[in-house]
Amino acid sequence: MDATLSVVASTIQAAGVLALATLVALVARSLGAAWLRSWATGWLWLAGSLVALQVSFRQPGAERLLQAAYHFGELAFLWLLARGSREFRGLSRPGHARAWAAAVAALSLALPWTLPEFTHRFVVQAALLSAGFLWNAAVLWPARSLPGTRLGVGVALVALVLLAAMFAAHAAAFGAASIARSGLPLAYAAYSSLYDLLLEMLLAFGIVVVGLQDAAGQIRTLAGLVPICAWCRKLRDDQGYWSEFETWARRRTGARVTHGICPACKEKHFPELA
């Protein structure tokens, strides 16, 4: 009965996260922001990892490979969330992406063979997820003071901190149960996946609100006055960032700016070509 409830709850979590990933992906496609696309890709990785976990329970022959995909997908989710947060703050993408992917892939493949029991692996995975959610909260934290998206950022930060606490509790509970060789309480073991889903819904809600608030800020910016520095000609967006026109246009409209030369400048700077 305990195992059956746990499988049902984890199946509901996988279906729920898949729905959340679809929602975030649709919002990202509609708004076209690069940082929102990174967040949406992360959610798709999370959904895929949970689907792989569910399939592994039903395909014993491919269990280890599928659960390695589960471990990799959840860690990829954390990295993509952090990348989206950096892009949202106007920072460059974190470097060493290939090295990070190789390290996570090696860890994900090693876990199923070094720790054959899923319960033991989940202790390690939960500890990594707890640290990863705290890391994401630290990356997103400076964005809380940006005007226009404070509500969404605040909701996302609360969800990240609660998720970090939840997975730390998972690591402690499953670790203690493994050491004592005892089972977990029914209310915890059977429904822990549903608790995770509730907090993941809160995080997805915060991300969607950030996207919608940012879109509203874009509309206000494009419809109103655009502050331009009189000396360097940089533009200021509604979040207070000063950037080149190309960066501003790409972030605000999703358009890629190309460069040419107008007839007047061609005649002035390149008279031999005019």
Side-chain angles (χ1 to χ4, degrees):
M1 180 67 175
D2 192 355
T4 301
L5 286 174
S6 180
V7 170
V8 170
S10 60
T11 302
I12 294 173
Q13 181 192 16
V17 170
L18 183 59
L20 293 175
T22 303
L23 172 64
V24 177
L26 290 173
V27 172
R29 183 175 181 180
S30 299
L31 300 183
W35 50 269
L36 195 52
R37 287 196 298 269
S38 293
W39 282 344
T41 305
W43 278 97
L44 291 173
W45 270 103
L46 178 61
S49 72
L50 293 175
V51 170
L53 180 63
Q54 292 303 307
V55 175
S56 73
F57 293 148
R58 296 163 175 81
Q59 299 292 332
E63 179 180 2
R64 289 184 175 180
L65 283 176
L66 287 168
Q67 290 186 4
Y70 156 72
H71 295 307
F72 182 85
E74 287 203 327
L75 296 176
F77 166 66
L78 293 174
W79 188 82
L80 286 163
L81 278 185
R83 187 176 79 171
S85 296
R86 287 179 60 86
E87 292 171 339
F88 173 67
R89 291 171 50 200
L91 305 176
S92 61
R93 290 184 175 184
H96 310 295
R98 292 183 179 178
W100 178 91
V104 171
L107 174 63
S108 302
L109 286 170
L111 281 175
W113 275 269
T114 56
L115 297 172
E117 291 189 26
F118 178 76
T119 302
H120 296 163
R121 294 200 306 275
F122 185 72
V123 174
V124 177
Q125 183 79 353
L128 290 173
L129 290 173
S130 177
F133 283 121
L134 281 179
W135 169 49
N136 269 277
V139 173
L140 188 60
W141 178 259
R144 72 194 187 283
S145 60
L146 297 177
T149 56
R150 291 176 182 173
L151 174 61
V153 170
V155 171
L157 284 171
V158 169
L160 287 169
V161 172
L162 291 178
L163 281 165
M166 175 66 77
F167 278 94
H170 289 342
F174 280 83
S178 299
I179 294 173
R181 297 184 181 277
S182 61
L184 292 166
L186 176 62
Y188 186 90
Y191 301 110
S192 59
S193 296
L194 297 183
Y195 306 149
D196 296 342
L197 177 60
L198 290 175
L199 295 181
E200 287 160 353
M201 290 173 63
L202 182 64
L203 177 58
F205 174 75
I207 286 174
V208 170
V209 171
V210 169
L212 295 177
Q213 288 183 314
D214 185 74
Q218 291 183 36
I219 294 172
R220 287 194 299 269
T221 300
L222 293 174
L225 296 175
V226 180
I228 301 177
C229 177
W231 282 265
C232 68
R233 315 305 291 176
K234 289 183 178 179
L235 293 88
R236 189 187 72 198
D237 61 17
D238 60 298
Q239 295 178 351
Y241 290 119
W242 290 90
S243 56
E244 303 289 344
F245 172 77
E246 293 86 346
T247 304
W248 181 88
R250 183 172 62 252
R251 191 171 189 274
R252 285 295 164 193
T253 67
R256 293 184 178 181
V257 178
T258 60
H259 295 83
I261 185 168
C262 70
C265 288
K266 186 176 181 181
E267 183 176 355
K268 178 179 179 181
H269 298 286
F270 302 98
E272 70 278 8
L273 300 177

